[in-house]
């Protein structure tokens, strides 16, 4: 038969050992195949120009990269190519030649023997590996089936391709090459088919690619079909809708949009809205009826009506009666101590009970350090009176619209936090806690949110609170507002005037121990999956943790340290350790490390120029060291320690007082001219301000200039005038608790602050001695020691001598200190 003879003749034709190398980038021809290619590369044009004889045989390889890049000839060495004979050449415009080539057989490219003007390479015939006879039939059948499916799904594949493949199933190698040629493979896949000399692997590779293309084509076909169905469905719905409207018009019936508006109007009338809200809702519903559902304004109006209908205009909590006994029991069961705060809360609720729940009087504001139970007090109040509780954190809020809401002209407008909270609790009389009100940003480009809170928290104005989004008055007078803050100084005076301040000071060590037994330990044992049979504490251990690791006003660090000890026990129990841990002081040191706070005995020794003052911070009270140093100079006064203007003026006044009283204090007059005095407040990274350090500063200056030591076993506070009067100061309770926590048992304060002792817990008041000073003479008489004989070594005149001044401000962090 002529065709098989031609095939055998082509495959067995002799090839020269060296052939010109022609790199193709977009196509390839397989053995026995024919292809027409347009040549424009300079090296290929040079090859054709050098060999114009008919029947030229070249070595074809596939080149990767862009057409503008030169082919890397070294990459072709060892790769499989195709020996092809050029049959026809046609010159085209633009230095382009179209040639027709017929593939002869696979070859392996050897060394490159020439690169210019065109490459030449040694070649050798490639030996193909016959496929497994048991596997080849299945592979050929699956490839033929996949090609039929792909031809049905993809229009660009001719329908006769599957028939051509079936005519060549007797030759698996030729069958694979035909499939790769006609299935529109990428050039990289065609090159991969060329490189595979194992015919079985070649068929498997082609089958994998065909099945992937079939899956992809089916997805494309499904998407196309679904798109057509949707388009037809939309056209059908539009046509039917037009017919429905025509029929409804003939019958006198309303369309679905009209029906929805009628239902919405019925909901508005049944909602029992206030008069103004009802009128606004009806007006907006009528506007809605005139709009198409596809209009953007339709959704805006519909959302606005949903907000109006979802607000609790009249809904109240079921229990209106306030049971004071239940409130007192709830507060005592969840909070230990805080007797003054509890008493004021009971009185406040008693007034509301007698007035039938009507809002009266100022808003409550709990002020105290972090971790003292301000937020949980609000939750306890809500639970005890049977009302819904909702907490709004306003810390960091800097936009007035967060409180009053956005106007509906803005895209995505919403009501403010107050209205949103009412929608969530679904009653108009919840207990609403406004947390961290002192951390709201005051003023700015977006308005002042603290000014917006004035209307919310004013009992005489919040009956008609108007949110910008609703633009309707809403009665907030039934809400029990409770605010919390860490410091009053950051609350604007106008807002502070609308609130009654309930101060919640820090806890003593004894109170922390009792709170641990009652609340913290049971909860922490449950949280860590252990019981009191696994770990046991003592009063001594709890007091040690509170005093040496958690010297703070609140309980958070104390609880965190107890949790650290329990985690160690939980891990050992999970590892199989049995028995109970008896937590003692060595175990606490092992688990929590070196104590963070030292004992204060080292600071009890009298010292010249060193005074222990008391300061108030946002986290409670704290000790404040004041150091004075005398040195030869010209009478200058140097003050360091990052002080505010008020405290600097207080230092100047103290120095002037000491100069005026120099003779009584035994200070030679020339010392003020020949001696410089340096006043330093340690913890220089912490801002300090306030006048209440005046007594301590005056004492330090008097001590260093008179060379007399100061008692270190007492702390003092008080403002001093130029005449030496000691004036009243604030924050007495916090300052006294700070001295008590630090181990000091005597405090000196202004005589006018004697009335404030009733705020101090009984156990602290009984354990401490209080000295009251009306003027600086009282302070100097009690705190300034007489010069001993022989005289003490003046450490203030010896800067190089070591001192034992401890840093008393590690617990202040970076908070501002107000003396």
């Amino acid at each position: 038969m002529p065709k098989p003879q031609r095939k055998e003749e082509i495959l067995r034709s002799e090839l020269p050992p060296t052939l010109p190398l022609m790199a193709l980038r977009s196509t390839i021809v397989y053995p026995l195949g024919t292809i027409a290619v347009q040549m424009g590369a300079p090296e290929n044009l040079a090859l054709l120009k050098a060999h114009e004889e008919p029947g030229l045989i070249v070595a074809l390889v596939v080149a990767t990269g862009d057409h503008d890049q030169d082919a890397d000839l070294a990459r072709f060495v060892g790769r499989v190519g195709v020996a092809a004979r050029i049959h026809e050449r046609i010159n085209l415009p633009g230095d382009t030649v179209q040639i027709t080539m017929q593939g002869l057989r696979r070859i392996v490219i050897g060394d490159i023997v020439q690169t210019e003007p065109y490459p030449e390479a040694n070649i050798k015939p490639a030996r193909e590996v016959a496929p497994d006879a048991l596997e080849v039939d299945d592979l050929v059948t699956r490839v033929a089936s996949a090609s039929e499916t792909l031809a049905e799904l993809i229009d660009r594949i001719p329908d006769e391709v599957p028939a051509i493949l079936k005519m060549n199933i007797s030759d698996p190698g030729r069958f694979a090459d035909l499939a790769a040629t006609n299935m529109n493979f990428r050039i990289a896949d065609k090159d991969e088919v060329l490189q595979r000399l194992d015919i079985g692997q070649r068929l498997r590779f082609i089958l994998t690619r065909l099945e992937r293309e079939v899956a992809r084509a089916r997805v494309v076909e499904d998407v196309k079909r679904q798109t057509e169905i949707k388009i037809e469905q939309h056209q059908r719905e539009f046509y039917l809708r037009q017919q429905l409207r025509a029929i409804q018009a003939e019958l006198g019936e309303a369309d679905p949009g009209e029906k929805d508006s009628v239902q919405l109007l019925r909901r508005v009338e049944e909602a029992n809205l206030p008069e103004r809200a009802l009128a606004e809702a009806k007006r907006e519903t009528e506007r809605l009826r005139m709009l198409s559902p596809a209009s953007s304004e339709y959704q805006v109006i519909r959302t606005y009506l949903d907000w109006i209908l979802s607000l609790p205009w009249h809904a109240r909590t079921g229990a209106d009666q306030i049971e004071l006994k239940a409130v007192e029991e709830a507060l005592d069961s969840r909070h230990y101590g805080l007797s003054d705060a509890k008493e004021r809360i009971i009185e406040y609720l008693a007034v509301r009970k007698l007035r039938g729940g009507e809002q009266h009087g100022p808003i409550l504001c709990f002020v105290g350090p972090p971790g003292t139970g301000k937020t949980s007090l609000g939750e306890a109040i809500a639970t005890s009176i049977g009302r819904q509780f909702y907490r709004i954190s306003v810390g960091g809020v800097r936009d007035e619209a967060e409180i009053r809401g956005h106007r509906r002209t803005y895209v995505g407008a919403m009501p403010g936090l107050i209205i949103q909270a009412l929608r969530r609790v679904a009653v108009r009389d919840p207990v609403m806690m406004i947390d961290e009100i002192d951390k709201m940003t005051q003023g700015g480009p977006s308005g002042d949110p603290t000014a917006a809170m004035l209307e919310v928290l004013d009992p005489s104005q919040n009956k008609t609170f108007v949110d910008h989004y609703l633009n309707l008055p809403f009665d907030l007078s039934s809400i029990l507002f409770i605010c919390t803050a860490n410091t009053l100084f950051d609350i604007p005076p106008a807002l502070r005037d609308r609130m009654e301040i309930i101060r919640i000071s820090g806890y003593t060590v004894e109170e922390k121990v009792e709170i641990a037994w009652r609340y913290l330990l049971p909860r922490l044992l449950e949280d860590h999956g252990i019981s009191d049979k696994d770990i046991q504490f003592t009063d001594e251990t709890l007091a040690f943790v509170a005093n040496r690791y958690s010297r703070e006003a609140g309980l958070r660090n104390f609880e965190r340290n107890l949790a650290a000890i329990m985690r160690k026990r939980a891990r050992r129990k999970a590892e199989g350790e049995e028995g109970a841990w008896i937590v003692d002081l060595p175990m606490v040191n092992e688990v929590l490390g070196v104590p963070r706070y030292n004992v204060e005995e080292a600071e009890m020794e009298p010292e010249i120029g060193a005074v222990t003052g008391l300061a108030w911070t946002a986290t409670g009270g704290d000790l404040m060291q004041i150091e004075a140093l005398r040195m030869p100079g010209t009478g200058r006064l140097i003050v360091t320690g990052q002080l505010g203007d008020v405290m600097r003026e207080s230092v100047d006044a103290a120095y002037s007082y000491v100069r005026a009283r120099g003779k009584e204090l035994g200070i030679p007059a020339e010392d003020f001219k020949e001696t410089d005095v340096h006043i330093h407040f340690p913890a220089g990274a912490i801002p300090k301000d306030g006048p209440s350090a005046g007594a301590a500063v005056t004492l330090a200056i008097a001590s260093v200039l008179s060379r007399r030591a100061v008692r270190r076993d007492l702390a003092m506070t008080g403002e001093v005038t130029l005449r030496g009067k000691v004036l009243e100061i604030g924050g007495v309770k916090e300052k006294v608790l700070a001295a008590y926590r630090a181990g000091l048992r005597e405090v000196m304060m202004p005589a006018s602050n004697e009335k404030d002792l009733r705020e101090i817990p009984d156990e602290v008041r009984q354990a401490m001695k209080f000295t009251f000073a009306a003027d600086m003479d009282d302070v100097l008489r009690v705190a300034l020691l007489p010069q001993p004989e022989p005289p003490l070594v003046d450490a203030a005149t010896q800067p190089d001598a070591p001192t034992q001044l401890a840093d008393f401000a590690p617990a202040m962090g970076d908070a501002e200190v107000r003396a």
Side-chain angles (χ1 to χ4, degrees), residues 729-748:
I729 47 86
V732 172
K733 181 178 180 181
E734 289 82 359
K735 294 177 180 179
V736 171
L737 290 178
Y740 180 78
R741 286 194 298 267
L744 298 175
R745 291 299 177 263
E746 185 173 354
V747 172
M748 178 176 285

Side-chain angles (χ1 to χ4, degrees), residues 33-161:
T34 303
I35 191 172
V37 182
Q38 292 184 0
M39 293 294 177
E43 62 271 15
N44 292 338
L45 293 177
L47 188 156
L48 296 175
K49 187 175 181 180
H51 298 276
E52 296 184 352
E53 67 274 10
L56 172 64
I57 299 177
V58 296
L60 300 179
V61 291
V62 176
T64 58
D66 297 334
H67 291 272
D68 298 336
Q69 297 177 352
D70 295 335
D72 186 2
L73 300 178
R75 298 184 59 184
F76 298 145
V77 177
R79 293 186 62 81
V80 178
V82 177
R85 176 178 285 113
I86 298 176
H87 287 295
E88 185 179 17
R89 309 185 192 197
I90 301 175
N91 294 323
L92 300 177
D95 292 333
T96 304
V97 179
Q98 178 175 306
I99 60 174
T100 303
M101 296 184 292
Q102 181 183 29
L104 302 178
R105 58 185 301 179
R106 280 178 169 83
I107 57 175
V108 178
I109 307 300
D111 296 334
I112 306 299
V113 297
Q114 175 183 316
T115 59
E116 295 295 339
Y118 56 85
E120 288 188 357
N122 294 328
I123 60 101
K124 59 181 179 180
R127 296 183 175 273
E128 294 185 339
V129 179
D132 186 359
L134 299 177
E135 184 185 16
V136 67
D137 292 341
D138 179 59
L139 291 174
V140 169
T141 302
R142 293 174 62 185
V143 169
S145 175
S147 66
E148 289 181 352
T149 304
L150 202 59
E152 295 175 358
L153 295 174
I154 300 180
D155 297 334
R156 65 176 181 269
I157 298 179
D159 296 336
E160 59 269 15
V161 169

Side-chain angles (χ1 to χ4, degrees), residues 319-331:
D320 289 335
Q321 194 68 19
I322 298 176
E323 296 294 337
L324 298 182
K325 189 67 175 177
V327 175
E328 188 173 359
E329 292 175 356
L331 294 177

Side-chain angles (χ1 to χ4, degrees), residues 737-768:
L737 290 178
Y740 180 78
R741 286 194 298 267
L744 298 175
R745 291 299 177 263
E746 185 173 354
V747 172
M748 178 176 285
M749 65 179 68
S752 54
N753 283 112
E754 185 174 1
K755 64 183 184 303
D756 297 319
L757 291 185
R758 61 183 180 180
E759 299 179 358
I760 300 172
D762 293 338
E763 63 272 14
V764 177
R765 190 165 61 245
Q766 295 172 4
M768 298 193 69

Side-chain angles (χ1 to χ4, degrees), residues 132 151 333 428 436 551 571 574 617 647 710 723 743 812:
D132 186 359
S333 65
R428 57 173 296 186
E436 311 291 353
R551 191 177 295 172
R571 176 183 175 181
T617 71
M647 185 169 280
V710 177
R723 296 179 298 158
M812 296 181 192

Side-chain angles (χ1 to χ4, degrees), residues 30 106 189-196 202 205-206:
Y30 293 105
R106 280 178 169 83
D189 292 339
K190 290 184 177 181
D191 185 41
E192 188 66 27
V193 172
L194 180 63
Q195 299 301 317
R196 295 180 183 267
R202 194 185 307 167
F205 177 80
I206 291 174

